[in-house]
Amino acid sequence: MLASIARAVRPVTFHRSTLVDRARLAARPVTHRASVRRMAAAASSNPVAVFDTSEGTFEAELFMDRMPITASNFVDLANTGFYDGLHFHRVIDNFMLQFGCPNSKDAKSPRSGTGGPKGGTSYDCNGESIQRDGGGNIPDELIDQTSNEPGTLSMANTGQPNSGGSQFFINTVHNDFLDWFGPGPSKHPVFGKITSGMDIVNKIGVCKTDGNDCPVTPVKMNKITIK
């Protein structure tokens, strides 16, 4: 199943992850706002993710204080090495870069954009355990109204509620039509933003791609480190 900026959203794959295809994602707000506030309050400071890629390094602040469930899911996957060795599988100039599918370890796999974390696994969110469902998806966290501005990290999904897992995308322009709180059907919550190295992100964003929006010259994630 395509996460499409979606299992970006899973980016939907995705295939064409749906990224939204450029705009089909639908989800519904979580109903645990009190729980989210409690977990967010437990976050003393926001972590920073360091992305070491074959094209250079960039960093992003993760909004643990505003999006604890989503940010903690990312931190868990990064700390366990889930993202290491994967490739950006969907890049569209003047739009976004999509990443995070385990099938993209093979840069040319036709299944890139369809995968996510192992189903039934769990992770810590500021002292509380969050369990992924049987498909490896996490609860939608439609709480914070940060728009899909340039440099923001946003969850990909299939367009169905609670279908985000490991895939996400980095906006290279202001894609406000993807905001979960906007009038459109797309529902992609932002959980972080680039703080340094946006030139590297933009460099990847204009790379030559094939008919499936996959970089002709693979762009590899060597490692993501949380600090």
Side-chain angles (χ1 to χ4, degrees):
M1 155 191 305
L2 249 177
S4 184
I5 256 183
R7 242 159 144 106
V9 161
R10 256 168 174 178
V12 148
T13 290
F14 282 52
H15 245 94
R16 281 189 106 101
S17 231
T18 175
L19 201 194
V20 316
D21 264 22
R22 270 186 174 195
R24 290 179 353 197
L25 325 165
R28 65 187 156 210
V30 292
T31 58
H32 50 281
R33 281 184 165 76
S35 177
V36 168
R37 292 193 190 98
R38 183 172 63 255
M39 289 183 279
S44 56
S45 61
N46 286 338
V48 172
V50 181
F51 299 78
D52 174 17
T53 81
S54 56
E55 293 296 324
T57 300
F58 58 90
E59 298 186 2
E61 176 187 3
L62 304 176
F63 299 155
M64 191 69 74
D65 58 340
R66 290 175 263 169
M67 298 286 287
I69 293 174
T70 308
S72 293
N73 173 65
F74 179 91
V75 168
D76 175 71
L77 294 173
N79 283 339
T80 55
F82 181 93
Y83 291 126
D84 301 350
L86 304 186
H87 297 82
F88 285 88
H89 66 274
R90 192 174 182 211
V91 174
I92 300 177
D93 186 16
N94 203 40
F95 188 19
M96 60 82 226
L97 331 177
Q98 193 168 325
F99 176 79
C101 176
N103 298 320
S104 70
K105 189 161 287 260
D106 173 359
K108 300 300 180 181
S109 172
R111 298 181 61 233
S112 291
T114 65
K118 184 177 180 181
T121 53
S122 61
Y123 60 95
D124 177 76
C125 178
N126 296 323
E128 295 192 26
S129 180
I130 304 295
Q131 184 167 20
R132 301 180 179 98
D133 67 17
N137 304 307
I138 65 173
D140 290 328
E141 194 169 23
L142 308 184
I143 300 293
D144 179 59
Q145 294 190 10
T146 297
S147 186
N148 279 269
E149 299 175 345
T152 53
L153 279 60
S154 191
M155 285 298 289
N157 54 50
T158 64
Q160 296 301 309
N162 306 310
S163 60
S166 59
Q167 293 186 49
F168 64 95
F169 56 97
I170 303 174
N171 292 291
T172 54
V173 296
H174 193 180
N175 296 310
D176 57 354
F177 68 98
L178 299 179
D179 294 341
W180 67 266
F181 50 89
S186 296
K187 307 294 179 184
H188 297 279
V190 168
F191 66 95
K193 187 169 186 176
I194 303 300
T195 55
S196 68
M198 190 63 191
D199 58 323
I200 300 300
V201 172
N202 288 330
K203 178 182 178 182
I204 297 172
V206 296
C207 69
K208 183 177 180 180
T209 57
D210 61 20
N212 292 316
D213 301 322
C214 181
V216 172
T217 298
V219 180
K220 183 179 181 179
M221 186 66 68
N222 298 317
K223 187 173 184 61
I224 297 179
T225 303
I226 304 299
K227 65 178 186 178

